[in-house]
Amino acid sequence: MSGNARKVISHGAGCRADALESTVDQPKISADVLLSAMEQAIDPMVVIDEHNNIILFNAAAERIWGLPRTDVMGRNVSCLVPQAERAQHDSYIDRNRETGIGRIVGTSREVEFTRANGEYVCGELSISRVQLADSHKIYYIAVMKDVTEQSRQRKILILQNDVLQALAADLTVQEMGDLLCRRVDGFVPGGVAAFMLLDRSRRGLSIVASPGMPNRYRTALDSMELSTEQVELLRTEPGSSNKLVWDGYSSLARSLGLQWCCSSAIISRTGQVMGIFALYLRGDEADLAWPKRVVTTSMPFCALAIEQNETRQHIAQLSNFDSLTGLLNRTSLHNVIERLIMRGGDSQFSLFMVDIDRFRDINDALGHVNADRFLIEIGRRIRALVNDEYIVSRSGGDEFIIIVPDCSHAKAEQFAEKLINAIAKPLQVEENTLTISCCVGISTFPENGPDSESLLSLADAAARQAKEDGRGLYRFAGHEKNLVAQERLMLGSALRDSLSKGMLNLHYQPQVETMTGGLYGVEALSRWHHPTLGNIYPSRFIAVAEETGQIEAIGRWSLQEACSQMVRWDRDGVRVPTVAVNLSAVHFRNRSLPEYIANLLSHHGLTPDRLTVEITESVMMDSSSETEEVLHAIRRLEVGLSMDDFGTGYSSLSRLTRLPLTEIKIDRSFINDFETDTNAQAVTMAVIGIGSRLGMTVVTEGVETEQQWRLLEELHCDVMQGYLFARPLPPAELEKWFRERQAKGSFVIPSA
């Protein structure tokens, strides 16, 4: 022990003895006793003199620093502090000597350093300041307690807490990896953590996060490709990862200051290799126990981060991509188009809509499974044809869409031809060789529309035009077709809004009995007056309703409204024998229609003979058993069935005899020149004769003159309908018409 140390201890012992003499008579504690106690203390103790040189270094201090006493006695105390703080250490002590203010003296704090052999140590340090009264010299006594294990446990808990919070915050896998690596780098002195992800499809290893890694080493490791054997070895021996991320690169690593590596493969709960977590270490000598422990602790969190990322990607795949082909779905396509439009400037692109010819036949002939394989192959052919900057989507059914940026008219023509030729190649599906053709519709931005809906609708219209013109063709959206398509879009949207707000209404045209002059019934006809578009003719909005799928809703609304009006007329004394309601062909493919009609009549308290359902010739020509079953089920309710516009299509007399019709209506086109055209008279007479022999009521539409009425009377036509008697009238006006005619005793008196 040095003399200075004995002097400090003697001074302390003397102060203690003087204090004790004033209270209790005890023997004085000599400096030798205190010195011996400090030397043998279980906690490391260090004393420095007024020059900051070490004058006491006990056995416990030797153990914690890994340095013999002979190597440190008389040396500046900075030899015991971490290398990074040595240069400034004396200034910290000198400041405390001068001011008495310090961050450490009189407190307890945790410090980190490495033993002489490179082993990491964490200690709890407390420093006392001793000033000798006789010389005014200031000495410092430092007591250190080894808390390495407690510190490591706390750091592991911090790591766990941070990562779990990050997982709950739904960070990306890159953000998670960066957080994990930064924490580990801070916990392990000289550590450089690296989080690497394995792309299992191509077995490529890429660095997700490693904020402290030198760029040269990162470049060397990134995009490393693994063989099947290497992946399998990682799966069975996760610790073999060092062979991949260290053995082949150790020379480069050491030239960059990285001397050691601890790593492990990241294994999922199902036993799949997901990546590698590596911890590189700086320093000539290293104790690897703590770094290995950190790597082991980090493994579950790495796996959780990757699994969460894969789950997120899977959800994104389901919401943004077509599950069958892996192409963008329609929703994502809309978003992409809108982003392209929002770029502004000179942004321009062409949209190609590919429609496969006769896909329904392929689906029916091969079944859904093989039809799906067919669509997958079509998607593959399109992907093989496009460049990386092209966007490909399957928006439903057999419809594929490609967006080509910066596409001139000539380039669009060339690409459309390539599409048609690529798809036209024979396709083998199991034992079937298919010859395929397609049609392509092309719209361009900004010429063909300001938004995605317009561009898609116009491309669809162009594709339909190509299909009408033949197979294997392409067509551009033209200006005239643009206006038609835009009008259809506008009407479709307005019609949907009007239906929801009850803005449609029914008008009723009377039908009178030719021979008696009595009221036979009324035909309900849909009318639409829009507050801004005005009156929309049925020929326009019914066609739009059929194209947009709203026709079935209109038909059901018409049935409901007609039945409600019949009840109101009955209540007001207006006896209308029956009401005829027009339904589209789509209604008769719905097996629930008869039940709907039965419930409607029951709800309104109407007998079945008060309702007639009108069908078109397209329904009559539909040979499906489903349609026939629906028609027979309606007739079994004793509801009337009328075939509208007979003679305008391709009516089959054999079908006429098989269907349960109660009424046929002769189209107004036969009545236009009825007075002078003997052929029209002959056809009308033939139809009346057929209807009479089949037990059906014959109604002639479009009667406008008294001469037409007299001729039909001579031909014994059952019922007449037309402007001669009344135009289609709103309910209130029809009631007025009814009461006027009833007062005169006949409904066949021509209106003024």
Side-chain angles (χ1 to χ4, degrees), residues 260-282:
W260 306 88
C261 178
C262 301
S263 68
S264 175
I266 305 166
I267 309 296
S268 71
R269 286 171 292 180
T270 58
Q272 296 279 343
V273 178
M274 307 172 77
I276 293 175
F277 186 76
L279 179 54
Y280 297 89
L281 303 164
R282 296 186 176 93

Side-chain angles (χ1 to χ4, degrees), residues 198-209:
L198 177 66
D199 183 343
R200 293 195 288 273
S201 62
R202 63 177 183 86
R203 295 193 301 276
L205 197 66
S206 59
I207 298 176
V208 175

Side-chain angles (χ1 to χ4, degrees), residues 616-675:
T616 61
E617 282 195 321
S618 62
V619 178
M620 178 180 169
M621 297 304 293
D622 187 347
S623 59
S624 69
S625 59
E626 188 177 65
T627 298
E628 287 193 14
E629 288 175 12
V630 171
L631 291 172
H632 282 281
I634 292 173
R635 189 66 195 105
R636 283 194 293 271
L637 297 174
E638 298 186 1
V639 170
L641 274 178
S642 175
M643 193 185 72
D644 196 15
D645 301 334
F646 182 79
T648 58
Y650 302 93
S651 303
S652 166
L653 292 179
S654 63
R655 290 280 295 161
L656 193 65
T657 61
R658 292 205 309 271
L659 293 179
L661 298 173
T662 60
E663 177 183 293
I664 54 176
K665 300 182 75 174
I666 300 175
D667 185 68
R668 68 181 65 248
S669 61
F670 289 96
I671 306 300
N672 289 339
D673 300 317
F674 189 59
E675 301 96 319

Side-chain angles (χ1 to χ4, degrees), residues 483-484 486-488 490-492 495 528 533-548:
L483 296 178
V484 173
Q486 288 172 1
E487 181 186 61
R488 185 167 60 247
M490 178 186 65
L491 283 179
L495 180 59
W528 179 23
L533 301 176
N535 289 321
I536 314 296
Y537 291 112
S539 58
R540 288 176 66 197
F541 75 78
I542 293 299
V544 170
E546 288 178 340
E547 290 182 4
T548 58

Side-chain angles (χ1 to χ4, degrees), residues 595-734:
E595 183 181 3
Y596 177 80
I597 292 173
N599 291 337
L600 202 58
L601 292 171
S602 175
H603 174 74
H604 289 90
L606 296 173
T607 56
D609 61 303
R610 303 290 300 279
L611 178 65
T612 297
V613 175
E614 293 194 6
I615 67 174
T616 61
E617 282 195 321
S618 62
V619 178
M620 178 180 169
M621 297 304 293
D622 187 347
S623 59
S624 69
S625 59
E626 188 177 65
T627 298
E628 287 193 14
E629 288 175 12
V630 171
L631 291 172
H632 282 281
I634 292 173
R635 189 66 195 105
R636 283 194 293 271
L637 297 174
E638 298 186 1
V639 170
L641 274 178
S642 175
M643 193 185 72
D644 196 15
D645 301 334
F646 182 79
T648 58
Y650 302 93
S651 303
S652 166
L653 292 179
S654 63
R655 290 280 295 161
L656 193 65
T657 61
R658 292 205 309 271
L659 293 179
L661 298 173
T662 60
E663 177 183 293
I664 54 176
K665 300 182 75 174
I666 300 175
D667 185 68
R668 68 181 65 248
S669 61
F670 289 96
I671 306 300
N672 289 339
D673 300 317
F674 189 59
E675 301 96 319
T676 57
D677 190 341
T678 55
N679 289 331
Q681 293 175 16
V683 171
T684 303
M685 183 171 62
V687 174
I688 292 171
I690 291 170
S692 176
R693 286 177 174 79
L694 293 176
M696 300 176 188
T697 300
V698 179
V699 180
T700 300
E701 298 179 298
V703 180
E704 296 184 356
T705 68
E706 289 191 43
Q707 188 176 359
Q708 291 172 346
W709 164 27
R710 298 305 176 191
L711 286 171
L712 289 171
E713 190 177 34
E714 291 177 10
L715 295 175
H716 299 284
C717 176
D718 298 308
V719 179
M720 298 177 294
Q721 177 181 341
Y723 285 180
L724 179 64
F725 313 110
R727 294 174 179 271
L729 301 170
E733 291 187 26
L734 186 123

Side-chain angles (χ1 to χ4, degrees), residues 213-222 245-259 280:
M213 179 173 285
N215 287 334
R216 284 179 59 197
Y217 198 72
R218 184 181 187 126
T219 302
L221 283 181
D222 215 0
V245 299
W246 177 254
D247 288 1
Y249 304 93
S250 57
S251 297
L252 174 62
R254 289 194 172 103
S255 71
L256 298 170
L258 305 178
Q259 304 297 328
Y280 297 89

Side-chain angles (χ1 to χ4, degrees), residues 7 50 69 169 174 323 328 375 377 388 405 419 490 550 589 605 676:
K7 186 183 298 183
E50 72 275 20
R69 185 179 315 180
Q174 289 83 4
S323 59
L328 288 176
L375 291 172
E377 173 59 22
D388 291 340
L419 271 175
M490 178 186 65
Q550 300 178 76
R589 301 190 192 106
T676 57

Side-chain angles (χ1 to χ4, degrees), residues 14-29:
C15 293
R16 175 65 174 165
D18 291 343
L20 288 174
E21 281 183 343
S22 63
T23 56
V24 181
D25 185 17
Q26 290 185 351
K28 292 184 179 180
I29 302 175

